[in-house]
Amino acid sequence: MDRIRSAFSNVIKSERYSRFTLQPAEDGERQFEVKLDDATEPPGQVPGSPSFRPAPLQQNNRKICYLVLGVLLVFVTGYLVGFISHRKHQDEPVNCSTDLEKDEKVESNPTVSPAVAPAAQDQMDWKDVTQLLEQKLTSQAFDKTLRDFDLPRRLAGSGEDMSQANRIFEEFKKLEMQPWTDIHHVQLQTPDSERPNRVLFGSDVFKPEGYLAYSAPGKVEGKLVYGNYGRQEDLDVLQKKNVELKGSVLLLRAGKISFAEQVDNAATKGAAAVLIYPDNEEYKFVANTPLYGHVHLGSGDPYTPGFPSFNHTQFPPTPSSGLPKIPAQTITANMATALLKIVFKSAISSLGKSAVPEADASSGFKGGFSSLTYSLGGSENVTVEVNNVLVNREIHNVFGVIKGFTDPDRYVVLGANRDAWDRGYAKATVGTSVLMELARAVQEMVEKDGFKPRRSLVFASWSAGEYGNVGATEWLEGYISSIDKNVLTYISLDGVVMGQGSFVASASPLLHSLLERTMKGVKSPVGSQTVYEMMGRSNWEANVLRPMSMNDPAYPFLAFSGIPSVSFHFITPNTEAYTYYGTNMDNVDHLNYATNHKTSEITVLAAQFAGQMALRLIHDHLLSLDVNRYSPVLLKAVSQVYKRIGQLSRSGQLKEVSPIWLGRARGSFQRGVDSINKDISNRVETTRRPLGSSTTGS
C-alpha cells in the first residue's frame, strides 16, 4: 500500500495546477488574476507567466500497475462492506411503535433535532386561515395601537417622521421580520418663513397659512375669474360665455379632480395663476381652515424624474414635465368669499349688473354659500405672490418581511404612508396601525399556529406620501429591474377608514375577482350582512369601483411598474372623499364622528379585508389574478374609440382612418385569455387527479 500511495502522489505532483481569484479592479470592473504554485519554469518560458500545459508524465510501468491494483482493491473492499451492512439492515425487525415514540419525543421537545428534517406540513385550510386572522385582530388591540401612533405632527423628513420610522423598524425587529431601511434624499417644497405667500386685491392683503407644494414661484397679476372645479368641461363653459381666461387668476373650489390637474387645466387655457379654496358645499368645517396639497402632475421626486433620489444622485438639468409653470396657492373659505364679493361689486360698478356673467343653477357652478353670488368674472386685478422654497430632506422607507415557504422570491406588498401635513389621523395613523397589527397577526400565525405561506409578504412604511407618493415611487425607481418581476400585488392601507355605511375601491381588473371574494368574506360595519351584500350583491361593481386617480397611493405601482394594485375605503354614503384630508382637522375626533364612534371596530374590518386579500395571494396554490376581468374593460374602451372615430369621420375632421385593427387586437387578447384559462384548468385537473389514475383517449 505504501508503494501505491507513493506512486499516486508522484503522478499528482508531476502536474502544475493554477488557482484563480476574482478581484475587483480599481475602476470597478472585475478581472481574473492567475496565481501559479511555485514550480520550475520550463525552458523558454518567461518567469511568472501563466502556463496551463501540464509537464510530461514519467512513464513507469511498475507504478501504473500498482495504481490499478490499488483502485481495484478499494472498490472490492467497499462493495463487500456495503453488501454486508445492507443485508444486516434488512434482517433487523422494524418496530413502528418505537419510531413513532421517537418522533413524538422530538416533536414535543423543540431542543431535540432529528437527523433528517420532517416533511413540510400540509397547507392550512383557507377557513382556518381566516378564523385565525379574525381572532388575532381585535378592537382592543387597535385602540392601543391607534393611540400609540397618533402624533401631533408628522411632516415628511421631520424629527417626528424619523422617530416613527425608527420605532416601526424596532417593532419589525422584535417580530423577527428581518427589517431594512431604504434611504432617499429628496427635494421638497415649503413656504419661506421670511417671505410669506400673499394674495393682494387693492388695499386688502391676505396671507394664507396653507400652501401647494411644487408651485411655480413668482408674483403675477390678473383679473379674477371663478372657474368652478377647474375641470375641462368647466373651463369650456366659461369660454362659451365669452369669459377671457388668458392672463386671468382662476379661483377654483377644491374637489372632483386633484390640485395638480386643476392647475394644469388652468395653465393650458392660458391662466396666469390659480387660487383654490374649500367650498362649503363639500367642506363643512370652520371657514378659516387652511388647506394643503401639492401640484406636481406625477409622482415621486420631480427633480429626479425616472430615477431614484439616492445620496449620490446628480440632479438632472431638466425637472419633471409635470411641474406647473404658473403660481398656485390655497386660500381659506373666508378669503374666497371676500374676494368674490369684492370682485362682484367692482364688476357691477364698472360694467353694470346685466353685463356681469353669473353662474346659473343648471351649470353646477354654484357652491354652498347661499348668500354669495358666484360671479364668473370681474374687471379688476388680483395679485398672487408665491415664495415657496426647495429644501433637501432625507426620508426613510422601512420594510419587514414574512418569508414564504415554497416561493419566497415572489411577494405581495402591504404599504402605508406615515407622513401627513398636520396630525393626519385618517390619512396616516390608521393605515400605519393596520400595517403594524397585520404584521403582528400574520407573524404569530406563522410562528405559533403553523401557518406556512407559499409566497412572501412584505410590509412597507413609506414617507413623503403627501408630496405625491415620493417615498414609494423612489423605491420603485431604484429597484424596478427586480420589483416588476417579483412583486405580485400591491395593497394600499392609506385611508382605509373614512366613515361607515359604504365601501369604495380602485383596483386593477386582474384583482376584481379577488376583491369580490373578499367582500363576501368580510362583515359589513353596519348590521350582520357582508360588505358584498351591503354594496348591492351582483351590482357591486357599479357601486364600488372607482377609477384610480393620480393621487391614489397605489397609483405609481400600477402606472409606473405595471404591478396589479388595489386601494379601498370604508366611507360615508354619498361622499367621494374624506373632507378633512389636507387640513389640520384630520384628527381622532372628526374620524370618530364620521364612524359614529366605531373607529376601532371599522379599523378591525379594514385590517381583515386587507389581510384576507394578502393571505389569499400568498396562501393559495393558484394566484387570484383573473385575466378575464380585462375583457369588459377593453370592450368598453374599444367601443368608445369606435364611437369617437365615427363622429370625427362624419364631421370630415378625420379621413381614411379605420379602427378595425383595434377590434382585431381585442379579439387576439380574448383568445389569449381563453388559452390561459384552458392551461390553468388542465393544470388543476392534473394536480387533483389521484395517484395511479390515467387518462383515456385516442
Side-chain angles (χ1 to χ4, degrees):
M1 291 298 292
D2 291 339
R3 290 185 177 183
I4 293 173
R5 283 195 296 268
S6 176
F8 186 75
S9 177
N10 289 335
V11 171
I12 296 298
K13 289 181 179 178
S14 66
E15 290 194 44
R16 302 178 63 218
Y17 284 85
S18 302
R19 63 180 182 271
F20 297 86
T21 60
L22 188 62
Q23 297 181 346
E26 293 182 0
D27 59 359
E29 296 183 0
R30 292 192 174 273
Q31 299 176 347
F32 287 101
E33 179 185 349
V34 182
K35 295 183 179 179
L36 299 178
D37 293 328
D38 293 336
T40 304
E41 298 291 344
Q45 179 72 42
V46 179
S49 64
S51 175
F52 305 104
R53 292 174 294 179
L57 293 175
Q58 297 179 2
Q59 301 298 328
N60 191 322
N61 294 332
R62 182 179 294 178
K63 291 180 180 179
I64 293 175
C65 290
Y66 283 142
L67 178 62
V68 172
L69 289 174
V71 171
L72 288 174
L73 181 61
V74 171
F75 176 77
V76 172
T77 304
Y79 176 79
L80 291 174
V81 172
F83 177 78
I84 294 170
S85 63
H86 179 70
R87 180 164 184 170
K88 182 180 179 181
H89 177 73
Q90 284 184 329
D91 292 340
E92 290 179 354
V94 178
N95 191 336
C96 296
S97 61
T98 303
D99 291 341
L100 288 173
E101 288 174 4
K102 289 180 180 179
D103 291 342
E104 288 175 0
K105 288 179 180 179
V106 169
E107 188 173 346
S108 61
N109 186 359
T111 62
V112 179
S113 301
V116 180
Q121 297 180 1
D122 293 336
Q123 279 286 322
M124 187 178 291
D125 183 77
W126 175 247
K127 184 177 180 181
D128 295 334
V129 173
T130 56
Q131 287 178 348
L132 275 175
L133 182 67
E134 188 173 345
Q135 292 169 8
K136 295 183 182 298
L137 297 173
T138 65
S139 58
Q140 292 80 10
F142 270 104
D143 279 336
K144 181 180 184 304
T145 307
L146 287 167
R147 286 195 302 270
D148 290 345
F149 284 96
D150 184 17
L151 300 177
R153 287 180 64 82
R154 49 174 79 236
L155 282 173
S158 65
E160 295 89 346
D161 179 38
M162 291 296 185
S163 176
Q164 191 165 78
N166 293 335
R167 178 178 180 179
I168 292 170
F169 184 94
E170 291 301 322
E171 290 290 336
F172 286 162
K173 190 175 181 179
K174 289 179 183 177
L175 292 171
E176 298 181 349
M177 292 172 60
Q178 304 176 29
W180 72 95
T181 301
D182 177 47
I183 301 176
H184 294 274
H185 296 260
V186 298
Q187 298 288 316
L188 307 179
Q189 200 183 63
T190 63
D192 190 335
S193 58
E194 298 181 357
R195 297 186 304 154
N197 299 338
R198 302 187 302 167
V199 178
L200 303 91
F201 183 79
S203 60
D204 296 308
V205 179
F206 303 102
K207 295 180 180 179
E209 180 182 341
Y211 78 104
L212 292 170
Y214 301 125
S215 163
K219 183 176 182 180
V220 298
E221 185 180 60
K223 293 180 180 179
L224 189 70
V225 173
Y226 170 65
N228 203 20
Y229 296 105
R231 298 168 297 185
Q232 186 64 50
E233 56 266 34
D234 294 328
L235 302 185
D236 289 342
V237 169
L238 293 176
Q239 290 183 323
K240 288 178 181 178
K241 290 183 174 290
N242 297 319
V243 177
E244 181 62 49
L245 296 179
K246 188 174 183 179
S248 67
V249 174
L250 264 177
L251 177 64
L252 308 175
R253 53 172 167 163
K256 304 297 183 185
I257 59 177
S258 68
F259 294 149
E261 291 172 296
Q262 289 179 313
V263 176
D264 184 66
N265 289 341
T268 302
K269 295 293 185 180
V274 175
L275 297 174
I276 302 175
Y277 77 99
D279 194 271
N280 189 46
E281 187 171 40
E282 294 88 4
Y283 299 87
K284 301 184 184 300
F285 47 63
V286 181
N288 62 352
T289 301
L291 197 61
Y292 299 84
H294 79 91
V295 289
H296 175 214
L297 194 66
S299 62
D301 183 351
Y303 294 93
T304 59
F307 58 96
S309 298
F310 292 134
N311 192 29
H312 60 271
T313 298
Q314 296 296 319
F315 297 133
T318 304
S320 168
S321 60
L323 286 173
K325 304 296 190 297
I326 62 175
Q329 174 65 41
T330 56
I331 59 176
T332 66
N334 279 342
M335 294 176 187
T337 54
L339 284 174
L340 283 171
K341 287 178 180 178
I342 296 172
V343 168
F344 182 64
K345 288 181 180 179
S346 64
I348 291 177
S349 62
S350 60
L351 301 176
K353 187 173 183 179
S354 60
V356 178
E358 294 183 23
D360 53 68
S362 61
S363 66
F365 270 56
K366 287 194 173 183
F369 299 108
S370 56
S371 60
L372 184 66
T373 301
Y374 285 83
S375 173
L376 299 181
S379 59
E380 295 194 22
N381 289 339
V382 173
T383 301
V384 178
E385 182 181 349
V386 175
N387 299 309
N388 297 339
V389 293
L390 283 174
V391 294
N392 187 271
R393 291 283 186 267
E394 179 181 303
I395 61 171
H396 291 192
N397 297 324
V398 183
F399 303 87
V401 63
I402 297 174
K403 289 189 175 180
F405 286 74
T406 305
D407 202 358
D409 292 332
R410 298 291 183 268
Y411 43 93
V412 174
V413 179
L414 281 163
N417 284 290
R418 66 174 182 273
D419 68 295
W421 294 115
D422 200 82
R423 202 172 197 104
Y425 191 82
K427 181 75 173 181
T429 301
V430 172
T432 300
S433 299
V434 171
L435 183 79
M436 303 309 296
E437 283 299 305
L438 277 175
R440 179 192 59 78
V442 178
Q443 184 69 349
E444 280 189 9
M445 290 169 63
V446 173
E447 293 293 330
K448 299 180 180 180
D449 302 305
F451 174 56
K452 295 182 181 295
R454 294 178 182 274
R455 307 168 191 93
S456 298
L457 185 57
V458 173
F459 296 82
S461 174
W462 314 111
S463 184
E466 292 282 35
Y467 289 85
N469 301 312
V470 172
T473 303
E474 296 307 309
W475 180 67
L476 290 171
E477 290 176 341
Y479 308 100
I480 187 61
S481 60
S482 59
I483 288 174
D484 66 342
K485 296 180 180 66
N486 298 331
V487 177
L488 301 172
T489 298
Y490 178 72
I491 301 172
S492 171
L493 302 177
D494 290 300
V496 290
V497 179
M498 298 179 175
Q500 68 164 355
S502 188
F503 180 85
V504 296
S506 301
S508 308
L510 284 174
L511 297 174
H512 287 181
S513 293
L514 175 62
L515 197 62
E516 181 178 8
R517 293 174 70 181
T518 309
M519 289 172 64
K520 293 178 179 178
V522 176
K523 294 179 181 179
S524 162
V526 290
S528 58
Q529 56 187 354
T530 64
V531 176
Y532 180 74
E533 293 167 336
M534 178 181 74
M535 298 311 298
R537 295 178 179 269
S538 60
N539 198 36
W540 74 272
E541 290 180 317
N543 297 328
V544 171
L545 294 178
R546 301 286 185 272
M548 188 174 287
S549 68
M550 191 175 291
N551 277 349
D552 195 307
Y555 179 84
F557 288 85
L558 178 62
F560 180 75
S561 303
I563 297 170
S565 306
V566 59
S567 62
F568 66 92
H569 316 279
F570 287 93
I571 196 169
T572 304
N574 303 318
T575 59
E576 296 184 1
Y578 188 61
T579 58
Y580 299 109
Y581 270 4
T583 73
N584 55 15
M585 301 184 72
D586 181 7
N587 53 43
V588 61
D589 293 332
H590 285 108
L591 188 58
N592 280 338
Y593 179 80
T595 61
N596 196 22
H597 298 277
K598 296 180 181 178
T599 299
S600 296
E601 291 85 348
I602 298 176
T603 305
V604 170
L605 296 178
Q608 289 178 4
F609 199 97
Q612 283 198 26
M613 283 195 294
L615 292 179
R616 177 73 78 175
L617 289 165
I618 65 174
H619 168 271
D620 289 0
H621 179 67
L622 289 176
L623 283 170
S624 298
L625 301 176
D626 189 357
V627 291
N628 277 314
R629 295 290 189 155
Y630 265 109
S631 295
V633 176
L634 289 175
L635 179 60
K636 182 179 179 181
V638 169
S639 300
Q640 291 174 344
V641 173
Y642 264 77
K643 183 179 179 180
R644 182 58 177 163
I645 289 178
Q647 291 173 346
L648 294 174
S649 297
R650 287 191 295 272
S651 65
Q653 300 179 55
L654 198 62
K655 296 180 180 179
E656 299 180 357
V657 175
S658 173
I660 293 177
W661 66 271
L662 200 55
R664 291 173 178 170
R666 192 195 68 82
S668 297
F669 172 83
Q670 188 58 51
R671 288 189 292 273
V673 169
D674 295 339
S675 176
I676 291 173
N677 287 332
K678 184 178 179 180
D679 291 342
I680 292 174
S681 299
N682 292 338
R683 183 65 180 270
V684 172
E685 288 300 322
T686 303
T687 305
R688 291 176 178 174
R689 190 177 299 129
L691 292 174
S693 64
S694 61
T695 58
T696 60
S698 55

